[in-house]
Amino acid sequence: MTRALVGRTAEIRRLDGLLADARAGQGEALVLRGEAGIGKSALLDRVRRSADGFQVIEASGSEFESELPFAALHQLCVPALGGLGDLPEPHRAALDMAFGLADGTPEVFRVGLAALELLASAAGEGPLLCLVDDAQWLDDASMRVLTFLARRIAAEPIAIVLAARHGFDALPAIDVAGLTDDDARRLLAGTRAALDETVRGRVLAEARGNPLALLELPGAGGFALPDTSSVPNRVERSFQDRLSALPREARLLLTVASADPTGDPALLWDAARRFGIAAEAGGLAEASGLAELGPRVRFCHPLARSAVYQAARVEDRHAAHRALAEATDPVTDPDRRVWHRAQAGTGPDDAVAAELDRSAGRAKARGGVAAAGAFYERAAALSLDPARRTERTLAAARAHLDAGAVDTAADLLTRVVADDHVTKARVELLRGQIAFVRHCDGDGPGFMLRAAEWLAGSDPRRARDCVLDAVEMALVVGRANGVMDMVVDAARTAPRAPGPPDLLDALVLLTAEGHRAAAGPIREVLASHPVWSARPALAGMLAVEFWDADAHDGITDWVLASARESGSLIAQRLGLGMAAANAVHRGDFRAAAAAIAEEEAVADAVGVAPLAYAQLHLAALRGRPAEAREVIASFTAKATASGTGQTIANADWATAVLNNALADYPAALAAAKEATRHGDLLVAALALPELVEAAVRCGRDGDAKAALAALTERTQSSGTPWALGVGAYARALVTGSEDDYLSAVEHLADGAVAPYLARAHLLFGERLRRDGRRRDARDHLRTAHERFTGIGMESFAGRAANELRATGEQVRPFTPGAADALTRQEAHIARLVADGATSKEVATRLFISPRTVDAHLRNIFRKLGITSRRQLRDLPALHGNR
């Protein structure tokens, strides 16, 4: 074992296992996480030397190259680019755009899929090992692609090992800690440094188990005052001590090398020639052990590079960047050239700022929004013209916000001097979006409304859009803190839109005058695709508020179709979430689970959390108590942390549904009252029937009548079968009228919203049994039980079964179907394959590799007791609603 690997037995065993699994076709990624000098690079070197029979490809992050999109990914893919021509055209085009070989804006997930196919193809010739050092400095685009890849290689003979000081929290990791005292002493003894016991004790204490410090500090002497700075800082100073002993030319050469992130020796020596540095300086620089100047320029450690750069005089760093800019080809590498020019310390320079502007545009076009933000920010700093400086600062803030760097975006806005209404509006819009992302509270809508005020005179249509932005934010925040009322007050004075009422008019009317007054205009809005197409989520909420399942279907179908046509993943996620919720309330739980699984796949592809609403609705109506409570608790915790009032109201609705199904009416009453307290759009509508039922069962007649009145205003204003059926059975609960029960069953008889028809039968059957009419009760209770069982509403089925038993009927217990053993993703893959999709088609749709699809199919076959796709197509369990 080499000196640097002393005490790393557990880490080596884990890495050896990673290689063994990859040889067997079971790929995995692993992050080695720890402070600088802790031994991550030594472990990477160990796994490289142990990878017999592997193809090894390597990349490294660079502190000075983190602004160039896909730079690290390009390093990783270069050895495999020979297979680029074999990729499908969309994947080839995505990589060409990412690497600047073609115009266009690649989406990260498409680049990830292309890179996955490229590397999987290379792994067809033998297992593949990908090593990435200093991953904390990867550019944002490469980091996202590597995370995407790491989660999709389970069925590939590929191992990925990343070494990083921090980050990559979503991936499996080893936290590389300091050495134990015994191991530290063994490592220090192996240095053969002549240290007396006092000095040795101090080195051990100051190194704190850091292997690089144990190797470097003995050479720094042991008679200075005790050093309380961090271990990496002390190691950097050790490297700087070596540097200071070199002649000036050797120091300058190393400074140029430290300023160049490419490691290209031709570029280094071209820049050095412009400095007038003789070739002999290279030998002296290498003799120091700080760097190797071979086929690739490598520093002995990232801390060495940082130490050299920081130790250089400011004027020497500027001169190094100037020389590198002059040596960099302006045609093949314009972005790196202008980056060096910007670091050359020339002061404000409109020409350099304009070049940075163009680089920002190129970075943005390639999907590198974080890089674009950095370029725009530097361009603003170098701009002499105040108007251009403002424009570039706003562009930088927008790019940083899009990249998730909200604090940087907020800081940039403090530098903007807004002299006109349009600029003031742009600043307020960005502040609103930042506030919403940060806190999800009432500040965001307020900023949007101020933007609307600034635009009212010059751009009334855009001003109305700002108010609608505020409405959508307020709907997430909820009414609890009065945000929605503030927004509606502002909307009343917003500039009028030409033509018929639009979404904003309808919302203002609904809030100000109620459902009866707003019903006509809202029906017109929902029937007019041009009116709602820009705000489909808001239109979908209005459709549910008015119990209009057909309108919600139409909106959902349009969102999904347009998303698949355009390739917009944001729209696709919205459409899938809407489709899943729609399927839940239609009673098709399999379709709901499939849409949820596909949305989760899309969310994972773009690196965001999946939508939770549909999962909540499915868990509540499915009624598996432990599962539902876990989903509700998770949902509530996230909503409470973000302060989103309407989200919390959704959890209260789900709690009310679950407890009504379990006949725990006091708990259902408490939750339903919370869900309806603030009258939030959509949530209150769905929760009012739960409140009526729970209040009646608890003998709270006043609460039941008040809830019924609020529900009746909605359902009678709507007039849809869904609305009239739910309204009728809620009224029947309060009045006890048999005609109302029969009316509910009649309105819902087509089964379009199957859970609600089943509930109508259940409520009527329960009433008949309580009236002593057992025979009549059995018919409705049996129908309810069969429908609940067929849908998969387990707790409601249990409630119906208990009622049936009370009439003297024998009821078979609920038994899970064979397909219930499948995970959500497995069930979705099984249905796609059963419908005739190939592994490649499924892989494209779910953003995974065909090998991964085949691995899932093997698990599916095993769980279902079948052996072929033909049997899968013929399996009834995959084609029901449950």
Side-chain angles (χ1 to χ4, degrees):
M1 183 178 292
T2 62
R3 287 187 305 166
L5 293 173
V6 168
R8 298 302 184 202
T9 304
E11 290 88 345
I12 290 170
R13 187 182 303 117
R14 179 74 177 83
L15 289 167
D16 286 346
L18 186 84
L19 292 177
D21 288 344
R23 283 191 184 94
Q26 299 171 0
E28 188 181 352
L30 184 67
V31 179
L32 303 174
R33 191 183 297 122
E35 69 174 358
I38 204 67
K40 304 182 299 295
S41 298
L43 287 167
L44 284 185
D45 183 60
R46 166 62 169 71
V47 75
R48 181 193 299 109
R49 289 185 286 105
S50 302
D52 295 333
F54 276 77
Q55 306 167 78
V56 180
I57 57 177
E58 299 182 63
S60 61
S62 166
E63 187 177 7
F64 308 108
E65 202 168 31
S66 59
E67 296 171 358
L68 300 177
F70 300 109
L73 181 68
H74 185 259
Q75 290 181 51
L76 202 63
C77 288
V78 162
L81 285 180
L84 189 62
D86 298 330
L87 298 185
E89 196 282 328
H91 289 174
R92 188 167 62 252
L95 285 178
D96 282 344
M97 286 186 282
F99 298 153
L101 303 175
D103 294 333
T105 305
E107 291 177 289
V108 167
F109 84 95
R110 296 193 193 281
V111 176
L113 280 174
L116 176 62
E117 186 156 354
L118 186 70
L119 296 181
S121 176
E125 300 174 7
L128 187 67
L129 173 63
C130 305
L131 301 177
V132 183
D133 205 355
D134 291 318
Q136 75 279 354
W137 286 329
L138 294 180
D139 60 277
D140 180 69
S142 294
M143 191 176 295
R144 291 166 64 192
V145 170
L146 276 172
T147 301
F148 178 95
L149 286 172
R151 292 201 289 254
R152 284 166 176 79
I153 57 171
E156 309 288 346
I158 299 174
I160 298 176
V161 185
L162 303 100
R165 297 181 193 175
H166 48 76
F168 296 96
D169 295 337
L171 300 181
I174 293 175
D175 289 318
V176 185
L179 300 178
T180 65
D181 188 60
D182 287 345
D183 287 332
R185 287 181 178 277
R186 283 175 57 208
L187 180 59
L188 187 59
T191 65
R192 296 191 176 89
L195 303 176
D196 62 38
E197 195 56 39
T198 301
V199 173
R200 179 179 289 104
R202 184 181 151 215
V203 168
L204 288 167
E206 291 192 0
R208 300 170 195 169
N210 185 293
L212 184 62
L214 289 163
L215 295 172
E216 289 293 326
L217 292 182
F223 301 101
L225 291 173
D227 193 337
T228 58
S229 60
S230 71
V231 172
N233 285 344
R234 292 200 295 279
V235 173
E236 279 192 335
R237 284 202 296 277
S238 169
F239 288 137
Q240 287 171 353
D241 288 343
R242 285 199 228 170
L243 180 72
S244 64
L246 294 174
R248 175 166 170 74
E249 278 201 356
R251 292 201 307 272
L252 285 174
L253 180 63
L254 287 171
T255 299
V256 176
S258 72
D260 168 40
T262 68
D264 181 355
L267 181 65
L268 171 65
W269 286 109
D270 190 353
R273 179 180 55 78
R274 298 167 194 273
F275 250 122
I277 297 173
E280 290 75 14
L284 294 171
E286 285 196 298
S288 71
L290 290 170
E292 296 176 5
L293 308 181
R296 180 178 171 86
V297 177
R298 293 177 183 270
F299 279 84
C300 65
H301 193 275
L303 288 178
R305 179 180 185 176
S306 175
V308 169
Y309 190 81
Q310 297 301 328
R313 297 184 306 172
V314 171
E315 55 268 32
D316 287 342
R317 287 204 297 266
H318 289 169
H321 283 295
R322 277 196 301 275
L324 286 165
E326 292 168 6
T328 301
D329 191 320
V331 176
T332 61
D333 209 352
D335 297 334
R336 193 171 278 109
R337 178 176 180 272
V338 71
W339 181 82
H340 282 303
R341 289 189 68 191
Q343 304 300 320
T346 56
D349 186 323
D350 277 337
V352 176
E355 279 193 56
L356 287 165
D357 228 6
R358 290 190 286 273
S359 289
R362 285 190 292 269
K364 191 174 178 182
R366 291 164 59 194
V369 286
F375 281 126
Y376 279 131
E377 187 175 351
R378 187 63 178 151
L382 297 181
S383 299
L384 289 164
D385 180 76
R388 288 182 176 173
R389 186 184 311 121
T390 295
E391 184 64 32
R392 287 162 178 162
T393 303
L394 287 170
R398 172 79 266 172
H400 281 301
L401 176 59
D402 289 343
V406 291
D407 291 337
T408 302
D411 179 65
L412 284 166
L413 291 180
T414 65
R415 308 177 200 176
V416 175
V417 179
D419 296 325
D420 60 272
H421 287 188
V422 173
T423 303
K424 288 177 180 177
R426 291 175 66 189
V427 170
E428 297 297 335
L429 282 171
L430 284 168
R431 283 180 175 152
Q433 290 161 358
I434 289 168
F436 187 67
V437 170
R438 270 180 169 170
H439 310 299
C440 229
D441 60 16
D443 291 344
F447 285 119
M448 294 296 177
L449 295 179
R450 283 197 286 278
E453 291 173 9
W454 288 118
L455 292 170
S458 61
D459 192 347
R461 186 175 296 278
R462 182 71 186 107
R464 288 180 72 79
D465 282 340
C466 291
V467 176
L468 276 170
D469 288 339
V471 168
E472 291 190 323
M473 285 186 181
L475 285 171
V476 174
V477 174
R479 291 180 182 269
N481 55 8
V483 174
M484 190 63 180
D485 297 329
M486 172 188 72
V487 171
V488 171
D489 286 342
R492 290 185 182 128
T493 61
R496 291 282 306 166
D502 63 6
L503 267 174
L504 186 57
D505 294 322
L507 281 164
V508 170
L509 193 60
L510 175 62
T511 305
E513 301 184 33
H515 289 72
R516 288 189 178 90
I522 284 177
R523 272 194 290 270
E524 291 178 23
V525 166
L526 294 179
S528 175
H529 168 264
V531 174
W532 60 254
S533 58
R535 307 273 177 172
L538 190 53
M541 294 176 76
L542 280 172
V544 177
E545 178 72 17
F546 278 79
W547 299 87
D548 193 337
D550 291 338
H552 195 273
D553 282 350
I555 295 165
T556 301
D557 291 346
W558 177 83
V559 171
L560 273 175
S562 61
R564 296 200 194 282
E565 182 180 346
S566 68
S568 168
L569 293 191
I570 294 175
Q572 194 169 329
R573 292 185 65 218
L574 171 64
L576 289 167
M578 294 174 71
N582 194 51
V584 169
H585 292 278
R586 291 287 197 184
D588 190 347
F589 288 2
R590 288 207 191 285
I596 290 169
E598 189 165 345
E599 190 280 326
E600 288 173 336
V602 177
D604 184 67
V606 297
V608 297
L611 299 173
Y613 289 92
Q615 294 182 45
L616 184 76
H617 283 233
L618 178 58
L621 266 71
R622 179 182 275 155
R624 294 172 180 168
E627 173 191 289
R629 289 187 178 114
E630 182 180 349
V631 171
I632 292 168
S634 172
F635 196 93
T636 303
K638 292 173 185 174
T640 303
S642 65
T644 48
Q646 192 188 43
T647 304
I648 296 172
N650 270 273
D652 291 326
W653 164 81
T655 302
V657 171
L658 177 65
N659 284 301
N660 271 334
L662 296 169
D664 185 351
Y665 299 114
L669 177 64
K673 290 180 78 169
E674 285 300 316
T676 58
R677 182 184 300 279
H678 302 291
D680 289 310
L681 192 70
L682 181 151
V683 183
L686 292 176
L688 282 168
E690 308 303 329
L691 178 53
V692 173
E693 181 173 355
V696 167
R697 300 301 190 211
C698 291
R700 301 285 290 272
D701 293 345
D703 288 335
K705 289 176 181 177
L708 177 62
L711 177 64
T712 300
E713 182 189 357
R714 288 167 165 82
T715 57
Q716 290 187 348
S717 301
S718 166
T720 68
W722 186 15
L724 295 175
V726 170
Y729 73 58
R731 187 168 59 253
L733 281 165
V734 174
T735 65
S737 166
E738 186 167 326
D739 287 343
D740 285 333
Y741 283 115
L742 290 170
S743 176
V745 171
E746 182 180 346
H747 283 303
L748 298 167
D750 67 356
V753 281
Y756 298 87
L757 174 59
R759 291 186 72 172
H761 281 290
L762 173 64
L763 293 171
F764 193 15
E766 287 175 332
R767 176 57 193 242
L768 292 169
R769 188 187 71 77
R770 284 169 176 76
D771 287 345
R773 297 165 59 184
R774 289 191 172 194
R775 181 174 299 174
D776 294 336
R778 281 194 195 105
D779 290 339
H780 288 283
L781 292 172
R782 192 180 298 119
T783 299
H785 183 260
E786 289 171 356
R787 288 184 176 275
F788 285 136
T789 302
I791 295 168
M793 296 174 67
E794 297 180 18
S795 287
F796 274 109
R799 179 172 143 190
N802 290 336
E803 289 287 333
L804 268 174
R805 292 188 187 99
T807 69
E809 180 147 326
Q810 295 294 316
V811 183
R812 285 186 300 178
F814 178 89
T815 54
D820 290 334
L822 303 179
T823 67
R824 191 152 51 213
Q825 187 179 44
E826 287 171 347
H828 187 35
I829 290 171
R831 292 188 78 172
L832 290 172
V833 172
D835 289 340
T838 65
S839 292
K840 193 167 187 178
E841 288 167 341
V842 174
T844 299
R845 186 158 175 175
L846 299 185
F847 313 106
I848 52 181
S849 73
R851 275 200 186 113
T852 301
V853 174
D854 291 338
H856 280 301
L857 281 172
R858 288 192 290 273
N859 286 334
I860 291 165
F861 291 169
R862 176 178 53 78
K863 289 180 180 181
L864 298 180
I866 60 177
T867 57
S868 71
R869 292 172 182 246
R870 180 183 297 278
Q871 289 174 290
L872 200 60
R873 286 195 292 270
D874 297 336
L875 200 66
L878 288 178
H879 303 289
N881 290 337
R882 241 168 64 188

